[in-house]
Amino acid sequence: MARVLHNLLLLLMSLALRIRVLGYWSLIYGYCALCTIVALLKLCWNIILRPTATFQWGVRETPPACLNDTSLGTHCYVRIKESGLRFHYVAAGERGKPLMLFLHGFPEFWFSWRYQLREFKSEFRVVAVDMRGYGESDLPLSTDSYRFDSLVTDVKDIVEYLGYNRCCLVGHDWGGTIAWLFAINYPEMVTKLIVLNSPHPSVFTDYALRHPSQLLKSSHFFFFQLPRFPELMFSINDFKALKALFTSRSTGIGRKGRWLTAEDLEAYLYALSQPGALTGALNYYRNLFSSLPLTQNHVRSPVLLLWGERDAFLEQEMAEACRLYIRNHFRLNIISGASHWLQQDQPDIVNTLIWTFLKEGEGRKSYRN
């Protein structure tokens, strides 16, 4: 009798959990459907008010001068034999020095690391990559080309092409997600891991399922599943939504730090206005749900996690929870007043914290039980 009651209790608990999870997802999908309807209404309203301007957007033909600033490094290209893809990257610092590899987020490209390229080239061979689907790197058309395993393999192939077997890996946003995954799968190739405003993927999954407020903040994940429509909404009125993402008071760069200059903004518009650029960036989201949950999740490299206090897209509580998956030294720094784009709006603070992390523990054994 006791066994029957125990089994019944387990069944009820399992059923309750499934109902709760189903409720969460139903709420969010319903919310995202509402967002889609709102976006359609907004599009219709724009057509009524500005019928000619709404569908006017143009490819920026000439890169702004800041993209050719020689102080940032040299523009290079590599074609990876395994995937056949060509990658663009900007490199500075002496060859042979330890490699510091930078992975950008959405919707950015190598240029988001401009302050760090200048800062760390004195001690490192610094390399900021245009990830697949971004900037001057190749843009695979298939959504399956953006699976986690392919993105992680890209990092491995690039490190090895550069002549290294390990690196200090730095990632922000989506680049942070790929950095976490690379450190999980290739711990021997990561001397130190530095992540900016990107929770460990398992933390994000667990936290979002238990906190509807985070699911609502992540509603764009679901909106971006739609084909073509998100690209259209980013493009109308000459990329007005894209400009707002980087400059608005709620989500933009520089609310208490360095503002994005007109030329900086033009650099992003140049990169993202190219044919297929928005589709490549959005394809990261369109393949997300087929890649989770993770089968491996422990990180054995020393980790620095930097978090902008005023991130509009990610709740701060996830930052501390990342500690559960780290089997080495872990340092967390919350940067007051910083936005989601913290390496751009608070570069001095970010660079100082990275230097401190790089210097601490030198000569100490890298791994612990």
Side-chain angles (χ1 to χ4, degrees), residues 69-76 89-102 110 113-129 162 164:
D69 184 347
T70 56
S71 71
L72 296 177
T74 303
H75 292 259
C76 307
Y89 63 92
V90 173
E94 293 181 19
R95 297 178 185 272
K97 287 188 174 181
L99 175 63
M100 180 179 283
L101 185 65
F102 296 94
W110 72 266
W113 298 110
R114 57 197 178 280
Y115 297 111
Q116 287 69 45
L117 287 171
R118 290 193 186 100
E119 177 71 19
F120 295 100
K121 66 182 180 181
S122 61
E123 297 290 335
F124 292 87
R125 176 66 172 172
V126 290
V127 174
V129 181
L162 293 171
Y164 292 84

Side-chain angles (χ1 to χ4, degrees), residues 95-150:
R95 297 178 185 272
K97 287 188 174 181
L99 175 63
M100 180 179 283
L101 185 65
F102 296 94
L103 307 178
H104 63 80
F106 171 89
E108 301 171 292
F109 64 120
W110 72 266
F111 185 67
S112 67
W113 298 110
R114 57 197 178 280
Y115 297 111
Q116 287 69 45
L117 287 171
R118 290 193 186 100
E119 177 71 19
F120 295 100
K121 66 182 180 181
S122 61
E123 297 290 335
F124 292 87
R125 176 66 172 172
V126 290
V127 174
V129 181
D130 278 340
M131 296 169 69
R132 67 164 68 192
Y134 281 94
E136 296 182 54
S137 292
D138 281 349
L139 194 163
L141 296 178
S142 170
T143 303
D144 285 342
S145 297
Y146 297 85
R147 291 180 59 88
F148 281 170
D149 55 353
S150 297

